[in-house]
Amino acid sequence: MRTKITISFAILFSITFNSCKKKFDYPENPAETAVSGYTNIARIKAKFNSYYNLGPTPTKVYKFDTDSNLVCTVIADEASGNIYKSVYVNDATGAIKLNLTYSGGLNTGDKIRINLNSVLLNSYGGVIQLDSINIEKKIVKLESGQVVNPIKVTMNQIMGNLSQLQSQVIVLDSVEFDNGNKNQPYADAINKASIDRTIINSAGISMIVRTSGYASFASALTPCGKGRITAVLGQYNGTIQLTVRQYNEVVMSSGTCPYLIKNFNDGSITSGGWSAFNVSGNINWTIGTFGGKQYANITNYANATNTACETWLISPSLNLSSFNNPIMSFISACNYTGPVLEVFISTNYSSGNPSAAAWTPITASFSAGSFAWTNSGNISLIPYKNSNFKIGFKYTG
């Protein structure tokens, strides 16, 4: 018998109450931007598909070799630092990403003409892009101040029409960050590292919001309520990703922030005041990774041998007396057979062997097997909110 348990734990409470910017105006040599021969984004994407997907495997990336022009409007720029050395543009037929040879010079609302001669057409992570564009030599700014209207869509519409919507600026309504990603920094501003945060809709469908550590709002905390997010729609190797243009384009009502989150993304079982204890056997909780998530993992099966054990994972002491309706939830996944994971609450456990304290079992939903993620449901903690208490997860092998 072996079992793998995955826990992402959160307690929620409902309370009543840079780079160098180069100036750009017109190209140094306007004659290089020809005005004869025009194309559009739909035809460019069709060319990409025919060259890379429908024909024989190319030995090199596609490079335009004639003076063909694309007239389009910038819909996302580098102003916030969350997009670097690139912008996104659209026309009446679709949207596409432009990779630039240097940063700066184009702003949202600029109507531009691009000479595609010698420009590369490729993709990164599944996002089709026009690459290595020198804006001084290849782009003429025709107008500024064009109105950019994001496209309002649902998550289902995105998943069913990703190829057409890719690189567009979209709006999602009635979404929120999931429990483990509320009230958390958008990115790592200290180490300049990007972080993925997850948003969900009312049906539980999720998508990634990816933010650069160089974004001006990297250290800002994600909101706890539900509302609207405006972002560029992209993807990376099959995973849909949203890139926020500006901090003020995440507009969510005030909501309930988690009091305590244990999501194991820091790679530690015992951070945040958590503890682990072996009542019997020598089987320990470890950190596992699956589907981009880190979790607490435990199994009593190793080297074709089952080892009997009883191992606990215990929260820090909690005092919820100031909250009206405290609840907790967690997710778990398991496989194979044997005793199910159990969860308990104790008002008299301090430390050491949990067998010496009194524990009250808590009813929750657990994974039925096949490593299927299962939500525990919202578990009311009202009976314990006037006492200091700890929550314990008990694994028996």
Side-chain angles (χ1 to χ4, degrees), residues 268-281:
S268 173
I269 290 291
T270 57
S271 63
W274 287 71
S275 62
F277 192 91
N278 294 347
V279 174
S280 61

PDB file of all heavy atoms in Angstrom, residues 268-281:
ATOM      1  N   SER A 268       9.223  24.502   2.011  1.00  0.00           N
ATOM      2  CA  SER A 268       9.415  24.082   3.400  1.00  0.00           C
ATOM      3  C   SER A 268       8.134  23.495   3.967  1.00  0.00           C
ATOM      4  O   SER A 268       7.049  24.053   3.790  1.00  0.00           O
ATOM      5  CB  SER A 268       9.858  25.265   4.264  1.00  0.00           C
ATOM      6  OG  SER A 268       9.884  24.909   5.640  1.00  0.00           O
ATOM      7  N   ILE A 269       8.262  22.373   4.668  1.00  0.00           N
ATOM      8  CA  ILE A 269       7.123  21.761   5.353  1.00  0.00           C
ATOM      9  C   ILE A 269       6.757  22.551   6.605  1.00  0.00           C
ATOM     10  O   ILE A 269       5.581  22.704   6.943  1.00  0.00           O
ATOM     11  CB  ILE A 269       7.447  20.297   5.732  1.00  0.00           C
ATOM     12  CG1 ILE A 269       7.523  19.422   4.466  1.00  0.00           C
ATOM     13  CG2 ILE A 269       6.416  19.733   6.707  1.00  0.00           C
ATOM     14  CD1 ILE A 269       6.197  19.220   3.776  1.00  0.00           C
ATOM     15  N   THR A 270       7.748  23.087   7.297  1.00  0.00           N
ATOM     16  CA  THR A 270       7.508  23.632   8.638  1.00  0.00           C
ATOM     17  C   THR A 270       7.556  25.155   8.715  1.00  0.00           C
ATOM     18  O   THR A 270       7.491  25.713   9.815  1.00  0.00           O
ATOM     19  CB  THR A 270       8.538  23.052   9.628  1.00  0.00           C
ATOM     20  OG1 THR A 270       9.854  23.351   9.151  1.00  0.00           O
ATOM     21  CG2 THR A 270       8.373  21.549   9.746  1.00  0.00           C
ATOM     22  N   SER A 271       7.677  25.854   7.581  1.00  0.00           N
ATOM     23  CA  SER A 271       7.679  27.313   7.641  1.00  0.00           C
ATOM     24  C   SER A 271       6.325  27.818   8.118  1.00  0.00           C
ATOM     25  O   SER A 271       5.305  27.131   8.021  1.00  0.00           O
ATOM     26  CB  SER A 271       7.999  27.893   6.260  1.00  0.00           C
ATOM     27  OG  SER A 271       6.996  27.538   5.323  1.00  0.00           O
ATOM     28  N   GLY A 272       6.326  29.034   8.655  1.00  0.00           N
ATOM     29  CA  GLY A 272       5.080  29.629   9.123  1.00  0.00           C
ATOM     30  C   GLY A 272       4.564  29.058  10.417  1.00  0.00           C
ATOM     31  O   GLY A 272       3.389  29.218  10.747  1.00  0.00           O
ATOM     32  N   GLY A 273       5.424  28.387  11.171  1.00  0.00           N
ATOM     33  CA  GLY A 273       5.009  27.848  12.465  1.00  0.00           C
ATOM     34  C   GLY A 273       4.403  26.459  12.414  1.00  0.00           C
ATOM     35  O   GLY A 273       3.918  25.960  13.437  1.00  0.00           O
ATOM     36  N   TRP A 274       4.423  25.812  11.258  1.00  0.00           N
ATOM     37  CA  TRP A 274       3.918  24.446  11.154  1.00  0.00           C
ATOM     38  C   TRP A 274       4.945  23.471  11.728  1.00  0.00           C
ATOM     39  O   TRP A 274       6.132  23.784  11.843  1.00  0.00           O
ATOM     40  CB  TRP A 274       3.619  24.105   9.701  1.00  0.00           C
ATOM     41  CG  TRP A 274       2.393  24.801   9.184  1.00  0.00           C
ATOM     42  CD1 TRP A 274       2.245  26.130   8.899  1.00  0.00           C
ATOM     43  CD2 TRP A 274       1.131  24.198   8.930  1.00  0.00           C
ATOM     44  NE1 TRP A 274       0.978  26.398   8.484  1.00  0.00           N
ATOM     45  CE2 TRP A 274       0.261  25.232   8.480  1.00  0.00           C
ATOM     46  CE3 TRP A 274       0.637  22.903   9.015  1.00  0.00           C
ATOM     47  CZ2 TRP A 274      -1.064  24.996   8.129  1.00  0.00           C
ATOM     48  CZ3 TRP A 274      -0.679  22.664   8.657  1.00  0.00           C
ATOM     49  CH2 TRP A 274      -1.513  23.702   8.229  1.00  0.00           C
ATOM     50  N   SER A 275       4.482  22.279  12.099  1.00  0.00           N
ATOM     51  CA  SER A 275       5.373  21.268  12.653  1.00  0.00           C
ATOM     52  C   SER A 275       4.958  19.892  12.154  1.00  0.00           C
ATOM     53  O   SER A 275       3.814  19.686  11.737  1.00  0.00           O
ATOM     54  CB  SER A 275       5.359  21.296  14.190  1.00  0.00           C
ATOM     55  OG  SER A 275       4.060  21.006  14.680  1.00  0.00           O
ATOM     56  N   ALA A 276       5.898  18.965  12.186  1.00  0.00           N
ATOM     57  CA  ALA A 276       5.620  17.575  11.806  1.00  0.00           C
ATOM     58  C   ALA A 276       6.105  16.667  12.925  1.00  0.00           C
ATOM     59  O   ALA A 276       7.102  16.968  13.603  1.00  0.00           O
ATOM     60  CB  ALA A 276       6.311  17.238  10.495  1.00  0.00           C
ATOM     61  N   PHE A 277       5.394  15.559  13.141  1.00  0.00           N
ATOM     62  CA  PHE A 277       5.770  14.652  14.227  1.00  0.00           C
ATOM     63  C   PHE A 277       5.476  13.210  13.809  1.00  0.00           C
ATOM     64  O   PHE A 277       4.396  12.906  13.316  1.00  0.00           O
ATOM     65  CB  PHE A 277       5.003  14.974  15.513  1.00  0.00           C
ATOM     66  CG  PHE A 277       5.554  14.279  16.723  1.00  0.00           C
ATOM     67  CD1 PHE A 277       6.530  14.889  17.504  1.00  0.00           C
ATOM     68  CD2 PHE A 277       5.114  13.015  17.085  1.00  0.00           C
ATOM     69  CE1 PHE A 277       7.050  14.245  18.616  1.00  0.00           C
ATOM     70  CE2 PHE A 277       5.627  12.364  18.198  1.00  0.00           C
ATOM     71  CZ  PHE A 277       6.604  12.985  18.973  1.00  0.00           C
ATOM     72  N   ASN A 278       6.464  12.330  14.041  1.00  0.00           N
ATOM     73  CA  ASN A 278       6.295  10.904  13.793  1.00  0.00           C
ATOM     74  C   ASN A 278       5.884  10.209  15.085  1.00  0.00           C
ATOM     75  O   ASN A 278       6.684  10.082  16.009  1.00  0.00           O
ATOM     76  CB  ASN A 278       7.598  10.278  13.293  1.00  0.00           C
ATOM     77  CG  ASN A 278       8.011  10.799  11.929  1.00  0.00           C
ATOM     78  OD1 ASN A 278       7.222  11.434  11.252  1.00  0.00           O
ATOM     79  ND2 ASN A 278       9.243  10.531  11.537  1.00  0.00           N
ATOM     80  N   VAL A 279       4.634   9.761  15.171  1.00  0.00           N
ATOM     81  CA  VAL A 279       4.190   8.992  16.334  1.00  0.00           C
ATOM     82  C   VAL A 279       4.766   7.588  16.264  1.00  0.00           C
ATOM     83  O   VAL A 279       5.177   7.008  17.276  1.00  0.00           O
ATOM     84  CB  VAL A 279       2.650   8.942  16.393  1.00  0.00           C
ATOM     85  CG1 VAL A 279       2.173   8.024  17.523  1.00  0.00           C
ATOM     86  CG2 VAL A 279       2.103  10.357  16.587  1.00  0.00           C
ATOM     87  N   SER A 280       4.796   7.014  15.065  1.00  0.00           N
ATOM     88  CA  SER A 280       5.410   5.702  14.860  1.00  0.00           C
ATOM     89  C   SER A 280       5.984   5.648  13.455  1.00  0.00           C
ATOM     90  O   SER A 280       5.522   6.331  12.543  1.00  0.00           O
ATOM     91  CB  SER A 280       4.383   4.589  15.038  1.00  0.00           C
ATOM     92  OG  SER A 280       3.330   4.702  14.090  1.00  0.00           O
ATOM     93  N   GLY A 281       7.004   4.808  13.285  1.00  0.00           N
ATOM     94  CA  GLY A 281       7.643   4.701  11.989  1.00  0.00           C
ATOM     95  C   GLY A 281       8.537   5.895  11.695  1.00  0.00           C
ATOM     96  O   GLY A 281       8.651   6.835  12.483  1.00  0.00           O
TER      97      GLY A 281
END
